[in-house]
Amino acid sequence: MTHGGRNPYDQGAGGGRGNGYGYGHPAGPGWAPPPPPPGAGIPPQPAYAPSAPRRSGWVRFREGDWPAPMNLLRRIRLHGCAWALMLFCLWPFMLFALWYPLARTAARQAHRRFPVQAYPRVVDPFMKRVQDARAWAALAASFLILLVYGTGQDLEELQAQYLLRVTTTPWLVLLTAPLIILVVFRLAPPSARPFMRSHLGSSGRAALWYFGAFTAVPLLFATMVALSELFESFRPVITIGLLFPSVWMLSYVVFASLTLVPSVFGLSRVHAALPALVTGVLVWELAAVNLAFSGMPPGPVPVQLAAILGGPASVTALAWWELRRLRERYGVRLRAA
């Protein structure tokens, strides 16, 4: 930095009395100028916002951060022959082109209504890997039993069991969770109950909103079928008019489930142990429902017992293990001290 062609912080050489520009000073040769203030001579710098952490593809998918349809088409680099093949297979391409905008808006609305950061859960990475391994092992065991002992009728029953589980699980959670919350609330110390009570309202509102959307899906499909049969001359108009809202609502429920199901409708904010407790009880209820509606699985008696009891028992054991690790590593307790 210069000041009129001279450095004002240079003491100069030769001593003596100077002219006030740094080449000397009236005080004499022993005088030393004060150090410059921090940042002297540096022009003001623009303020830059801190860079946001990079999000994974799964997080962006769950939060509804999907590219626009035209941007997605620009990203797909296919040869001309591949595009020609897609035109010959027009129906799958048209179905995807119609579904993508609906699913994109449904995912954005679901994330806006149920943001991920508003429904936290204490996640132990080691337990998460163990739970994923158990789920894959259970899936492989079920496939092996069907491959060895199953028939065509068993495959049809498997599809019916999956549909039954999807439709009954939310209602079982709605009936089971309040009872478990009441037990945990009674076991908690009195000093923690006001905090737990303050989060029950938000969890209840989230559950009611979710079940309203969940109930609207079959109602929209049933209305579409009933009106199409009642007014056969207007069937195409009725089908198109109600199919798009039905698909949008179904996509909304799916993306809302990605946030609400792991935290059990935000019950982890009430108590960190509630998701594990609800899961440990819910798995036995689902096993009883499957046994009541679908009967015994195929195979000899030991295989049937292992298929019926193995899944719920392993999930309950992992839930108990998770509660123990929450207590040891994070200080999560159920009973009052």
Side-chain angles (χ1 to χ4, degrees):
M1 178 178 178
T2 60
H3 184 77
R6 306 178 181 87
N7 189 348
Y9 300 114
D10 189 3
Q11 190 174 346
R17 296 181 181 272
N19 53 11
Y21 284 98
Y23 292 99
H25 194 271
W31 177 84
I42 301 177
Q45 300 295 320
Y48 295 97
S51 58
R54 184 177 179 85
R55 296 177 299 169
S56 63
W58 170 251
V59 173
R60 296 180 60 183
F61 173 80
R62 185 174 59 177
E63 294 180 356
D65 188 9
W66 298 9
M70 295 305 298
N71 296 336
L72 183 64
L73 292 178
R74 293 191 187 99
R75 294 182 182 180
I76 301 177
R77 297 181 180 180
L78 296 177
H79 195 267
C81 298
W83 283 109
L85 183 62
M86 291 181 63
L87 291 178
F88 281 108
C89 302
L90 188 60
W91 278 111
F93 179 76
M94 291 297 297
L95 289 177
F96 177 79
L98 293 175
W99 171 82
Y100 184 82
L102 293 176
R104 180 171 177 262
T105 56
R108 295 177 64 181
Q109 293 299 323
H111 175 67
R112 186 175 302 176
R113 180 67 186 180
F114 308 108
V116 179
Q117 61 273 13
Y119 298 90
R121 180 182 178 182
V122 179
V123 178
D124 191 333
F126 176 74
M127 287 300 305
K128 182 66 169 58
R129 291 193 295 267
V130 173
Q131 291 169 354
D132 293 341
R134 192 222 69 87
W136 285 108
L139 183 62
S142 301
F143 178 76
L144 183 61
I145 291 175
L146 288 176
L147 184 63
V148 175
Y149 303 105
T151 60
Q153 185 179 359
D154 294 327
L155 293 177
E156 295 179 358
E157 292 181 356
L158 180 64
Q159 298 177 359
Q161 288 179 8
Y162 179 77
L163 182 60
L164 179 66
R165 180 172 298 183
V166 170
T167 54
T168 56
T169 298
W171 300 106
L172 291 176
V173 173
L174 185 64
L175 296 175
T176 305
L179 300 178
I180 300 178
I181 291 173
L182 181 60
V183 174
V184 173
F185 189 83
R186 297 297 300 176
L187 293 176
S191 59
R193 293 175 184 175
F195 175 80
M196 297 171 60
R197 193 182 295 111
S198 64
H199 290 287
L200 285 176
S202 59
S203 299
R205 288 190 296 269
L208 291 177
W209 189 273
Y210 176 85
F211 280 102
F214 184 85
T215 308
V217 174
L219 290 179
L220 286 173
F221 279 105
T223 303
M224 179 181 63
V225 173
L227 292 179
S228 298
E229 294 179 354
L230 186 60
F231 304 98
E232 295 184 358
S233 57
F234 299 97
R235 177 174 295 178
V237 178
I238 295 174
T239 302
I240 295 175
L242 291 179
L243 181 61
F244 287 101
S246 303
V247 174
W248 187 93
M249 189 62 68
L250 178 61
S251 303
Y252 179 87
V253 171
V254 170
F255 288 107
S257 302
L258 296 178
T259 301
L260 295 178
V261 171
S263 64
V264 193
F265 303 101
L267 292 182
S268 57
R269 295 177 299 181
V270 180
H271 198 285
L274 279 175
L277 291 174
V278 173
T279 302
V281 176
L282 181 64
V283 68
W284 289 102
E285 296 176 347
L286 288 174
V289 170
N290 289 334
L291 184 62
F293 284 90
S294 302
M296 299 291 290
V301 176
V303 175
Q304 292 177 343
L305 294 177
I308 293 175
L309 302 177
S314 60
V315 172
T316 304
L318 287 180
W320 176 82
W321 191 11
E322 183 179 1
L323 292 175
R324 183 176 179 180
R325 288 179 66 90
L326 286 174
R327 182 178 67 253
E328 295 176 353
R329 294 176 175 266
Y330 302 98
V332 177
R333 299 183 179 273
L334 293 176
R335 291 184 177 275

